Amino acid sequence: MATETTAATEGAQGAAEAAGNGGEAVGMPQLDFSTFGNQIFWLVVTLVAIYIVLSRVALPRIAAVLAERQGTITNDLAAAEELKLQAVKAEEAYNQALAEARAEANRIVADAKVEIKADLDVAIAKADAQIAAKSAESEKAIAEIRASAMDSIKVVAKDTAKEIVAALGGKADAKAITSAVTTRLKG
Amino acid sequence: MATETEAPSGLQIHPMDQFLVKPLFGGDAINFYTPTNVTFWMALSVLCVIGLLVIGTRGRAIVPNRIQSIAELAYGFVYKMVEDVAGKDGLKYFPYIMTLFIFIVFANFLGLIPMAFTTTSHIAVTATMALAVFFFVTILGIVKNGFGFLSLFWISAAPLVLRPILAIIEVISYFVRPVSHSIRLAGNMMAGHAVIKVFAGFAGVLGVGAIAPVAAITAVYALEVLVSFIQAYVFAILTCVYLKDALHPHH
């Protein structure tokens, strides 16, 4: 396949001759018109072949793939939007449930407070009554004690007065002393 | 598929040999139906298209694998380009533009394989495509807009005095379109490959010490990778622009 160029002669004529002589490029092989028919024929065959392949198989397929992908993306986005809505709804429901639970808890706490208050009032009333009873009892006891103390004082005062009178040399009149002491004590 | 044999005399660089059209199975005659290296490399590009866009997407996965991602990327790239440039009603012609773009991309990149034949470096190939685009959009424009298609050349935004002059310029530029459209692609591909080949010739002469030519080849190769894609993109986007002119000739 050894080909050699002698760049001496140029132009289409020379090239045509050279090509005819078995593969020596003289000048520009591009201008060798004897090969034009061949090239154009095979070019047309090639282009028609490519066109048929593209228009029958390749382009519809790629278009379909691209459309399908676009569809998938759109669907996925829609699904994502749907899920997002659901999530928002779920959150709302959760918040509502939480609020309800709070209200319920508050109500229970209030009820419990009222109940406890009622119990407490009863207990306080009971305690007050007990305290009142106790203090009444105590007062009574104190009054008794005071009364008994008074009597004791009377006796002691009478006795003391009798003794003092006796010591002073007088004869004590028991009745007079008693009245005197009583008057004094009342004083 | 030009292999070089260094002639004993010294510097022998054959940068254009790689563009030779040769019959695949020997013989000299190149009839239009003869399977040539053109046939081979174009068939390879068809196989690559099938590999990427058909076999690569056979999984039809919602989450794509790597090859399917590339296929979808290519689809989306061209689809968006057609939509942005030619408008919504241009999308009807998306398969045609996709066909051109994907063929040019693969032809360009297959041509970058060492020893490969670059089909898009031939003016016959690019001119056929450019002329096909030219006639297609012209006929489409006339069918869609009738006489109104001529308003493409009558720039109503310009002052009345300038309009005839601009119309002449517009008409000339309109008919130059297929030329620039085709030569841009073929020229870019041919120049890059020829430059690589010239540097490769230097490397061949210098032998083991050919650091500079190899570095240069690497740099040019990287540039060519970029150019391969950009030229396919430019070809496709210009097609979209022409299509837009045909669909909406009013400026």
Side-chain angles (χ1 to χ4, degrees):
Chain A
M1 289 262 285
T3 53
E4 293 186 27
T5 311
T6 33
T9 43
E10 283 191 28
Q13 298 286 328
E17 258 172 48
N21 290 339
E24 283 184 17
V26 180
M28 284 177 65
Q30 278 86 351
L31 297 178
D32 177 4
F33 293 106
S34 68
T35 64
F36 272 32
N38 183 272
Q39 294 192 54
I40 291 167
F41 171 71
W42 289 113
L43 173 70
V44 170
V45 169
T46 302
L47 288 181
V48 167
I50 292 177
Y51 176 75
I52 289 169
V53 167
L54 287 190
S55 61
R56 292 284 153 83
V57 188
L59 298 184
R61 184 188 289 177
I62 295 173
V65 167
L66 292 179
E68 195 184 340
R69 179 172 312 144
Q70 196 57 46
T72 308
I73 290 170
T74 311
N75 285 346
D76 284 0
L77 283 180
E81 195 65 28
E82 183 88 356
L83 288 176
K84 200 178 160 192
L85 273 179
Q86 279 180 12
V88 168
K89 263 185 201 158
E91 201 192 341
E92 271 169 16
Y94 166 77
N95 282 339
Q96 203 179 335
L98 196 66
E100 271 171 16
R102 273 225 181 92
E104 179 76 10
N106 284 341
R107 205 174 54 68
I108 290 170
V109 166
D111 282 0
K113 251 187 202 154
V114 168
E115 242 167 65
I116 289 167
K117 186 101 165 69
D119 284 357
L120 198 62
D121 285 349
V122 170
I124 286 171
K126 208 170 163 191
D128 280 351
Q130 276 176 357
I131 289 166
K134 277 265 191 234
S135 56
E137 236 169 65
S138 306
E139 240 157 67
K140 213 165 132 193
I142 290 166
E144 268 170 22
I145 289 165
R146 194 175 272 162
S148 71
M150 253 331 177
D151 286 350
S152 302
I153 287 167
K154 259 183 201 168
V155 172
V156 169
K158 266 188 229 166
D159 286 355
T160 312
K162 222 187 262 174
E163 287 302 315
I164 291 168
V165 169
L168 288 171
K171 177 91 162 92
D173 183 4
K175 220 174 182 173
I177 289 167
T178 305
S179 64
V181 167
T182 309
T183 320
R184 280 289 189 179
L185 279 174
K186 268 181 187 163
Chain B
M1 292 261 278
T3 50
E4 293 194 47
T5 28
E6 284 306 316
S9 57
L11 189 62
Q12 289 271 340
I13 301 170
H14 316 292
M16 304 312 274
D17 281 6
Q18 58 179 324
F19 302 121
L20 279 176
V21 177
K22 281 171 298 200
L24 269 187
F25 307 111
D28 287 340
I30 298 178
N31 293 314
F32 76 88
Y33 52 83
T34 313
T36 56
N37 46 358
V38 179
T39 318
F40 177 73
W41 288 100
M42 282 185 179
L44 261 188
S45 71
V46 174
L47 289 182
C48 287
V49 170
I50 292 172
L52 175 66
L53 294 179
V54 176
I55 298 172
T57 60
R58 74 187 182 283
R60 291 184 174 84
I62 293 288
V63 179
N65 58 18
R66 285 178 210 175
I67 298 176
Q68 194 185 326
S69 292
I70 295 170
E72 286 171 9
L73 217 61
Y75 180 96
F77 178 73
V78 179
Y79 191 89
K80 195 158 170 10
M81 177 167 72
V82 176
E83 193 178 20
D84 287 351
V85 177
K88 285 266 182 221
D89 44 356
L91 285 177
K92 216 172 10 169
Y93 311 100
F94 163 65
Y96 302 105
I97 293 166
M98 184 74 181
T99 302
L100 286 178
F101 175 77
I102 209 81
F103 167 70
I104 296 170
V105 162
F106 275 115
N108 287 355
F109 277 111
L110 285 173
L112 282 176
I113 298 170
M115 312 302 288
F117 175 79
T118 318
T119 49
T120 42
S121 68
H122 274 264
I123 199 78
V125 171
T126 59
T128 305
M129 291 191 289
L131 284 173
V133 169
F134 177 77
F135 285 117
F136 180 77
V137 297
T138 305
I139 293 166
L140 183 74
I142 292 169
V143 168
K144 284 254 170 189
N145 305 289
F147 194 67
F149 183 59
L150 291 178
S151 68
L152 179 63
F153 308 115
W154 195 252
I155 300 160
S156 48
L160 194 58
V161 193
L162 284 177
R163 280 184 211 171
I165 304 164
L166 284 174
I168 294 168
I169 295 172
E170 286 286 322
V171 169
I172 293 171
S173 80
Y174 188 82
F175 285 99
V176 168
R177 274 176 179 183
V179 179
S180 63
H181 203 187
S182 56
I183 289 180
R184 183 182 296 111
L185 174 60
N188 268 291
M189 298 321 295
M190 188 187 77
H193 286 73
V195 166
I196 289 178
K197 207 52 181 274
V198 168
F199 281 124
F202 290 154
V205 171
L206 289 175
V208 186
I211 295 165
V214 169
I217 290 169
T218 310
V220 175
Y221 195 93
L223 184 70
E224 280 302 291
V225 170
L226 198 66
V227 166
S228 289
F229 181 78
I230 288 174
Q231 286 307 318
Y233 174 64
V234 165
F235 195 97
I237 205 162
L238 280 175
T239 306
C240 291
V241 169
Y242 300 161
L243 186 63
K244 187 209 77 179
D245 282 346
L247 294 172
H248 316 284
H250 312 286
H251 283 275

